[in-house]
Amino acid sequence: MKLTIGYIFMSILIFASSGFAAEKKMKIHILATGGTIAGAQMKAGEYGYKSGTFKVEDLIAAVPNMGDLATLSGEQVANIGSQDMSDEVWLKLAKRVNEVLKSDADGVVITHGTDTMEETAFFLNLVVKSDKPVVLVGSMRPATAISADGPGNLYNAVAVAASPGAKKRGVLVVMNDEIHQARAVEKMNTTNVETFHSPERGPEGYINTGKIAWFETSSKKHTSGSEFAGASPKSLPRVDIIYAHSNMSPDLIESAVKSGAKGIVVAGVGDGNMNQASLTILERLQKKNGLLVIRSTRLPTGLVLRNNEVDDDKAGFVASGEFNPAKSRVLAQLALTKTSDPKKVQEMFEKY
Ligand code: ASP
């Protein structure tokens, strides 16, 4: 009897020390929203296609060996081209991600169109209340294309979501053998598969056929560390982006505010600059209506510095720092659910 108990005890020890716990099969839930990854052409090799044609079951079935990486389940949240992404879908998606991560799921993969992927990723990076991995993935070629990139990207995304190393890194984007952080990543080429880059910070890691090399992560706050984590407002305040250029007319600014914008992001020239007429009107609307004004840049790289050529302290403006106009808009929308005080919003732009 003693011998049997001792034998069982020894077996458990050997079993545990053999790394069984580390090799437990993860449960990954795939939330599909559409995009080119679910897109179909009329004929393979033909130019032109329709985003959001295939369903989540088709996407999973197209990569049979993905089941070796994790126990998979799937759900359709939307089936749209991400050019049609809206606050409504964001709020629905965020709610579902938070619900799924509260269950026994170990991570979530979201299939998404690439056009606005960086915005959805950053939104989720601020509202997901969990340290479990959340990974967005898409493709540049439709599912029916010759050399479609979707299946490989999806396989890698599941591998990342199932990796213990992905925990506490915030929301990630996996495309073209690279892993990027939601706050840093941008789509930079209209059609090339090598379109996603993090121009200021570089990738968060590399992945090749499921094998991952992680790099250092940033110390910026996200997910459970965000003051917006778990927030589920019914709607988000309207924030518009205005593109600066030579001979810029301030009419669009006034029109946006008249139409209900509570915040304006200017995709400024250079270091977030714009002509004097636009500065004057924005300062007036800030002082009179409490309009939240964010100065970002239309340039692909560089930080927008505070109080450089524009006196932000006097005007009551926020400088976007690392954030491009699209990302600035996401943070401004969430910020406005709490405050329109430019000093507090500036702190958020530094913190996240
Ligand atoms: N227009 C598509 C979308 O964003 C492009 C893509 O998915 O690559 O849904």
Side-chain angles (χ1 to χ4, degrees), residues 172-201:
L172 300 169
V173 166
V174 169
M175 289 284 294
N176 198 40
D177 288 3
E178 291 186 354
I179 310 165
H180 292 268
Q181 215 177 52
R183 64 181 301 283
V185 72
E186 295 178 29
K187 185 175 183 181
M188 302 196 78
N189 185 289
T190 50
T191 53
N192 198 299
V193 292
E194 195 197 340
T195 183
F196 281 89
H197 297 274
S198 298
E200 305 302 344
R201 301 213 172 220

Side-chain angles (χ1 to χ4, degrees), residues 248-261:
M248 181 180 181
S249 150
D251 299 0
L252 288 179
I253 296 170
E254 286 198 299
S255 155
V257 173
K258 270 195 198 127
S259 305

